[in-house]
Amino acid sequence: MRIDSISCSICLLLLVLIEISCAPVASKEVEIPSNSSRILPLKDSRKIDPETTEIFLDANYDTTAHKTLKDQLGDLDPNTFVELKYLNGQFYLYDSCDGGFVAYKVSQDQIKSYGIHEDIDFQIVNQKKTDLNMVFELTTDGYSGPITMSITRTPVDLVDKIITLKNGVATISYATAATNINKFYAIINQCPTTKVSEFEGFTNPNF
């Protein structure tokens, strides 16, 4: 599928502008959280949202969430990026009420997006890679416009920032390589009722 080169160039320019606008202001000192310093006590589990649904923080690096993720992705490799959620200055795996995890598997000619409800295969049209950043121009069946995705290292150890630009709208998320999932705690939504209720207390870091 052929993609208009001008449109792709505009997408790349927008992506750069988004990266710049999302960066912290130089005049302000930004506190960078460290995943090597845990702020929650080491307990088997701790209820963090008792008013809405059963959501626990597991301070165990090999929980059922980790095992579910391994089953979902199969072989874990450093080119698969698993989405993280941010809460109280820390990044966590999130085992949603709907089940499953969001992840991106990068291969030589495509990026496979694992979603909670569906998986999508993106074909790589063009790519640029450095030690700190990867930028991909993508296309997929059923969508004719350009799609751009960047994966960039953040100041937080083992955490990458993913920006996806589609229809001029940027989606920002954070992720870690699948080989690192045992280095993050898991927040597990036990989903005790028939009604799906996701935890809405996650925030975004300021970088």
Side-chain angles (χ1 to χ4, degrees):
M1 184 179 295
R2 185 177 179 183
I3 292 182
D4 186 88
S5 59
I6 296 176
S7 298
C8 289
S9 298
I10 293 173
C11 280
L12 288 174
L13 178 59
L14 287 172
L15 196 62
V16 171
L17 293 174
I18 291 167
E19 288 277 12
I20 294 173
S21 65
C22 292
V25 179
S27 60
K28 295 182 179 179
E29 184 177 349
V30 178
E31 181 180 354
I32 303 299
S34 170
N35 279 303
S36 61
S37 177
R38 301 295 173 182
I39 60 173
L40 291 166
L42 291 175
K43 297 180 180 179
D44 290 336
S45 62
R46 172 180 172 181
K47 189 178 293 188
I48 60 173
D49 190 24
E51 300 301 323
T52 57
T53 187
E54 298 288 327
I55 299 179
F56 290 85
L57 178 110
D58 270 320
N60 181 340
Y61 293 120
D62 194 22
T63 65
T64 55
H66 293 83
K67 294 171 184 175
T68 299
L69 184 53
K70 292 172 184 176
D71 290 339
Q72 177 184 340
L73 297 178
D75 293 335
L76 302 181
D77 67 76
N79 292 317
T80 298
F81 297 86
V82 179
E83 187 176 79
L84 300 171
K85 294 296 186 180
Y86 188 73
L87 178 69
N88 297 334
Q90 298 291 327
F91 286 96
Y92 301 94
L93 297 173
Y94 176 57
D95 191 354
S96 68
C97 183
D98 261 358
F101 295 82
V102 176
Y104 303 92
K105 187 169 186 176
V106 181
S107 62
Q108 185 174 356
D109 57 357
Q110 74 171 7
I111 296 178
K112 186 176 184 66
S113 171
Y114 297 88
I116 293 176
H117 299 292
E118 63 176 343
D119 299 339
I120 302 175
D121 292 328
F122 295 97
Q123 303 304 313
I124 298 176
V125 178
N126 191 21
Q127 58 183 298
K128 297 178 182 179
K129 294 183 179 181
T130 67
D131 291 340
L132 300 177
N133 178 270
M134 297 184 290
V135 179
F136 303 94
E137 294 174 17
L138 308 170
T139 185
T140 187
D141 292 340
Y143 181 76
S144 58
I147 305 169
T148 307
M149 177 183 291
S150 70
I151 304 175
T152 307
R153 289 186 185 178
T154 73
V156 180
D157 191 28
L158 307 180
V159 176
D160 296 289
K161 182 178 184 178
I162 298 179
I163 300 178
T164 304
L165 187 63
K166 182 179 179 181
N167 289 331
V169 178
T171 302
I172 300 175
S173 59
Y174 295 85
T176 192
T179 48
N180 297 327
I181 62 172
N182 283 348
K183 298 178 182 178
F184 291 85
Y185 292 164
I187 291 178
I188 302 173
N189 192 335
Q190 303 286 358
C191 205
T193 67
T194 55
K195 182 180 179 180
V196 174
S197 180
E198 298 296 355
F199 180 57
E200 298 181 352
F202 296 118
T203 59
N204 292 313
N206 59 349
F207 54 82

